[in-house]
Amino acid sequence: MAFYEEVKWCKKCKRYVRYLLSMNGSYCVDCGAEVSLFNKEDMKDFKRTLKLL
């Protein structure tokens, strides 16, 4: 994945969005809210996959 294609989950926009990275965190380029790596469902799937390894 290219740098400009990276996305993170925005709770406010309820979708994966491009983001700005600062020393204090990552923020949605559309609304300015703090973003996270995954939404809740994707995080559950990720953790489930790690348990299988």
Side-chain angles (χ1 to χ4, degrees), residues 15-27:
R15 61 186 170 92
Y16 284 95
V17 296
R18 291 187 9 205
Y19 61 94
L20 298 172
L21 182 62
S22 78
M23 296 295 285
N24 299 321
S26 300
Y27 302 92

Side-chain angles (χ1 to χ4, degrees), residues 1-7 17-20 29:
M1 182 178 293
F3 174 76
Y4 291 105
E5 295 173 357
E6 287 187 27
V7 292
V17 296
R18 291 187 9 205
Y19 61 94
L20 298 172
V29 297

Side-chain angles (χ1 to χ4, degrees), residues 24-42:
N24 299 321
S26 300
Y27 302 92
C28 176
V29 297
D30 295 327
C31 72
E34 195 162 5
V35 295
S36 58
L37 189 56
F38 297 119
N39 65 24
K40 285 185 179 182
E41 268 312 302
D42 291 343

